[in-house]
Amino acid sequence: MAGIPFFYIFLIILILIGLLFLYLVVDFMIQKKKYLQVIRLVDQLDEKYYISEMIPKSSNLENQAYIYALKKACKAMNDKISSLEQESLDYREYTLSFVHEIKTPLCALSMLFDYHKNKTVRKELDKIDSCVEQMLYYARSGNPEKDYFIKEFVFSDLLHSVLLDYKPYLLEEDVHILVYDADTTVFSDEKWLHFILSQIVQNSLKYFDKKEKTLEFFCESKEHSVLVHIKDNGCGIQASDLPRVFEKGFTGSLRQKKHSTGMGLYLARELCLKLGLSIEIFSKEGEYTEVIITLPLNTHEFKRGS
């Protein structure tokens, strides 16, 4: 070493440092590539909990331990998800079965009360029937593709059916019905839309507070859609409550006296989303409440919600 000039020693050290730096750079690039590959795999997966099956094998013992732990954790989570999904399916099937079974005696009781003209009991029975109907559609909303059928129909025919269901209550409350520009052809599921409109009509009936009550229906045609307007002159909704009216269980700060469940508008919005429709609500406290549902004019404009 003593005979080697200092310049060569310095050059050798410099080369070694350069090689070490090059090794570190190459190793960093390799690790970065693997890191980015995992990130890409995660981003591309719709069901992220399958990532453990997609991660490439590693020769690094520490990485192998982490991958093993991740696979065990993902398997446990997948097993739990499968169990919960099965429980949810069983509960939904039981609920649907219960609703269909209970509708038979309810129908029989309804006919009996009609025969005896017992309006008070009949009204209470209708409340039960309404709650059962909400339960049915709540259960169906979790798996709607098996329950709905999109077809073409005239909106005024559907509206007539809804109003016929509520005729006794509309007459009892002396509600003035206004319908115009409703002979429009639309595409949707009649059964589901009937339920959605029913929830809105029920809501209007609950919150009328004026001597002269009006419930207004009309359609507004656009280029690719039809806007269905349902407007009442009831007590309206507080501005602070308006953004929350579609939340599950929300009844409003001044509307609890009506014993609302807060499920009607929530279900209406949920079913609209499943059907690919939009629903909006506008109101001025003490004056009116207006709900607008946007329906497609043809099947090409129809988009199912997720």
Side-chain angles (χ1 to χ4, degrees), residues 120-304:
T120 303
V121 179
R122 171 58 193 266
K123 189 178 292 187
E124 295 304 314
L125 183 65
D126 284 345
K127 289 180 183 178
I128 296 173
D129 189 57
S130 176
C131 290
V132 170
E133 194 76 3
Q134 281 189 350
M135 183 190 295
L136 175 64
Y137 278 90
Y138 183 69
R140 283 175 172 172
S141 66
N143 195 13
E145 59 274 6
K146 294 184 179 180
D147 294 306
Y148 67 61
F149 175 69
I150 304 301
K151 68 174 184 178
E152 180 183 18
F153 60 91
V154 178
F155 178 75
S156 58
D157 294 339
L158 175 63
L159 179 58
H160 177 73
S161 174
V162 173
L163 293 176
L164 201 60
D165 289 345
Y166 291 91
K167 182 180 177 181
Y169 302 100
L170 293 168
L171 289 173
E172 183 182 343
E173 293 289 333
D174 195 24
V175 179
H176 185 44
I177 304 295
L178 298 174
V179 179
Y180 50 94
D181 297 333
D183 293 324
T184 304
T185 300
V186 294
F187 283 83
S188 192
D189 181 282
E190 276 192 278
K191 180 178 62 178
W192 284 51
L193 191 56
H194 186 287
F195 176 80
I196 292 168
L197 292 174
S198 295
Q199 299 308 299
I200 297 168
V201 171
Q202 278 186 43
N203 233 43
S204 294
L205 284 168
K206 286 178 186 176
Y207 298 109
F208 278 124
D209 65 342
K210 299 177 179 65
K211 187 175 181 180
E212 293 185 4
K213 308 175 181 71
T214 60
L215 187 54
E216 183 179 357
F217 302 86
F218 67 94
C219 293
E220 180 185 0
S221 296
K222 298 292 184 180
E223 184 179 358
H224 300 297
S225 61
V226 173
L227 274 59
V228 176
H229 297 254
I230 306 103
K231 186 175 182 180
D232 66 59
N233 68 336
C235 65
I237 305 168
Q238 280 189 325
S240 58
D241 288 344
L242 204 54
R244 300 185 59 197
V245 293
F246 291 119
E247 291 181 10
K248 185 195 294 186
F250 183 73
T251 57
S253 54
L254 297 179
R255 296 154 71 89
Q256 294 175 351
K257 61 181 181 179
K258 296 291 184 177
H259 307 292
S260 295
T261 62
M263 292 297 291
L265 289 178
Y266 165 75
L267 281 172
R269 186 195 62 174
E270 288 299 300
L271 298 186
C272 279
L273 290 174
K274 301 296 184 183
L275 288 170
L277 314 178
S278 70
I279 182 169
E280 300 174 280
I281 190 164
F282 305 90
S283 184
K284 186 171 183 180
E285 189 179 357
E287 293 189 20
Y288 74 91
T289 298
E290 182 176 14
V291 178
I292 301 176
I293 302 172
T294 303
L295 296 166
L297 278 173
N298 53 62
T299 52
H300 298 293
E301 298 300 323
F302 168 76
K303 292 181 181 179
R304 191 183 74 188

Side-chain angles (χ1 to χ4, degrees), residues 3-67:
I4 302 175
F6 177 76
F7 171 77
Y8 291 110
I9 295 174
F10 176 77
L11 186 62
I12 291 170
I13 293 173
L14 198 63
I15 291 171
L16 290 173
I17 291 173
L19 290 172
L20 177 62
F21 178 76
L22 181 62
Y23 168 78
L24 292 173
V25 170
V26 172
D27 183 65
F28 171 77
M29 296 301 293
I30 292 172
Q31 295 302 322
K32 183 180 179 181
K33 184 179 178 181
K34 291 180 179 178
Y35 169 80
L36 292 175
Q37 184 180 7
V38 172
I39 296 296
R40 268 196 307 274
L41 286 172
V42 173
D43 290 340
Q44 289 170 0
L45 279 175
D46 292 329
E47 296 171 323
K48 309 297 184 188
Y49 44 84
Y50 285 122
I51 185 60
S52 63
E53 304 299 324
M54 307 296 294
I55 294 178
K57 292 182 179 180
S58 173
S59 57
N60 184 286
L61 288 176
E62 185 179 8
N63 288 345
Q64 287 179 17
Y66 284 132
I67 292 171

